[in-house]
Amino acid sequence: MQESISKEELDRAFDARFPKEMQVKLHNAKVAIAGLGGLGSNIAVMLTRSGVGKLFLVDFDVVDVTNLNRQMYLIPQLGKPKAEALPEILYQINPYATYESVCIKVTPENVKELFAEYPIVCEAFDRPDQKAMLVQELLTQCPETIVVSGNGMAGYEDANEIRTRQMMRRLYVCGDQSTDVGAGIGLIAPRVSVCAGHEANKVLQLIMQGACE
């Protein structure tokens, strides 16, 4: 890939706005994102823009036209696996970070193999049963992992209802914890992006507090 900007230029731009200690912690951090839809694709872009050094991206789905109203993907990527499409976007933001991706369905049997080495995992699935499964299995099988989850971001009601709450020692939940798709309420960009911002911001807080050291 032809680079249009050097790593030194990116580093200087970061140094102009933030302390060097922050850049080092972010550069050394590694974060996993399970689910690369409205939440996950936005979280990945935010963490990439923030300087996180390594992202592990997991999803088994492909980019569909119904994703374009809230997810980071582009029309030329329709039909492409999200685990391939999202790194293409991230490399355009920071080609010097590390992006590892896998196109696989997460099950209770492969949670430990996929995520045990990551100190922070963002849960970004769509279906409530899959969300609950992943959170439960991560807390059970990966005793050193902190989980940041999303729950309740549908519709266009007050975005201030979306909050970040610590539910357990290793579990943070972002969202309004009530709205769900149904009864004419769908998922659209603003509230999904707000919830993704909460998840990404909590990840940055955890990194700065030493969660990845």
Side-chain angles (χ1 to χ4, degrees), residues 112-126:
K112 184 174 182 179
E113 177 184 357
L114 288 170
F115 301 112
E117 71 174 86
Y118 289 88
I120 303 172
V121 175
C122 287
E123 177 282 309
F125 287 157
D126 292 331

Side-chain angles (χ1 to χ4, degrees), residues 63-119:
V63 180
D64 184 80
V65 66
T66 60
N67 302 151
L68 298 178
N69 78 324
R70 67 193 184 281
Q71 302 182 19
M72 280 291 172
Y73 305 105
L74 308 172
I75 288 175
Q77 295 177 314
L78 291 175
K80 182 173 291 190
K82 292 179 181 179
E84 295 180 15
L86 188 55
E88 293 176 349
I89 295 170
L90 302 181
Y91 275 115
Q92 295 294 318
I93 299 170
N94 183 357
Y96 304 103
T98 299
Y99 311 107
E100 181 181 346
S101 63
V102 59
C103 186
I104 191 172
K105 183 176 178 62
V106 178
T107 67
E109 292 71 32
N110 62 20
V111 164
K112 184 174 182 179
E113 177 184 357
L114 288 170
F115 301 112
E117 71 174 86
Y118 289 88

Side-chain angles (χ1 to χ4, degrees), residues 61-198:
D61 203 3
V62 299
V63 180
D64 184 80
V65 66
T66 60
N67 302 151
L68 298 178
N69 78 324
R70 67 193 184 281
Q71 302 182 19
M72 280 291 172
Y73 305 105
L74 308 172
I75 288 175
Q77 295 177 314
L78 291 175
K80 182 173 291 190
K82 292 179 181 179
E84 295 180 15
L86 188 55
E88 293 176 349
I89 295 170
L90 302 181
Y91 275 115
Q92 295 294 318
I93 299 170
N94 183 357
Y96 304 103
T98 299
Y99 311 107
E100 181 181 346
S101 63
V102 59
C103 186
I104 191 172
K105 183 176 178 62
V106 178
T107 67
E109 292 71 32
N110 62 20
V111 164
K112 184 174 182 179
E113 177 184 357
L114 288 170
F115 301 112
E117 71 174 86
Y118 289 88
I120 303 172
V121 175
C122 287
E123 177 282 309
F125 287 157
D126 292 331
R127 289 170 40 189
D129 61 327
Q130 291 298 302
K131 287 176 172 290
M133 178 278 292
L134 180 58
V135 170
Q136 177 180 327
E137 298 300 332
L138 285 169
L139 293 176
T140 302
Q141 297 189 42
C142 305
E144 304 301 319
T145 296
I146 299 173
V147 182
V148 182
S149 178
N151 183 12
M153 67 217 71
Y156 50 86
E157 298 301 323
D158 189 356
N160 291 324
E161 296 299 318
I162 295 176
R163 297 171 52 201
T164 301
R165 301 170 177 87
Q166 183 171 9
M167 310 301 289
M168 300 171 61
R169 183 177 65 86
R170 294 188 292 118
L171 174 62
Y172 296 85
V173 177
C174 306
D176 61 28
Q177 299 193 36
S178 61
T179 56
D180 195 6
V181 177
I185 300 176
L187 293 167
I188 53 178
R191 287 185 107 238
V192 171
S193 299
V194 169
C195 189
H198 273 258

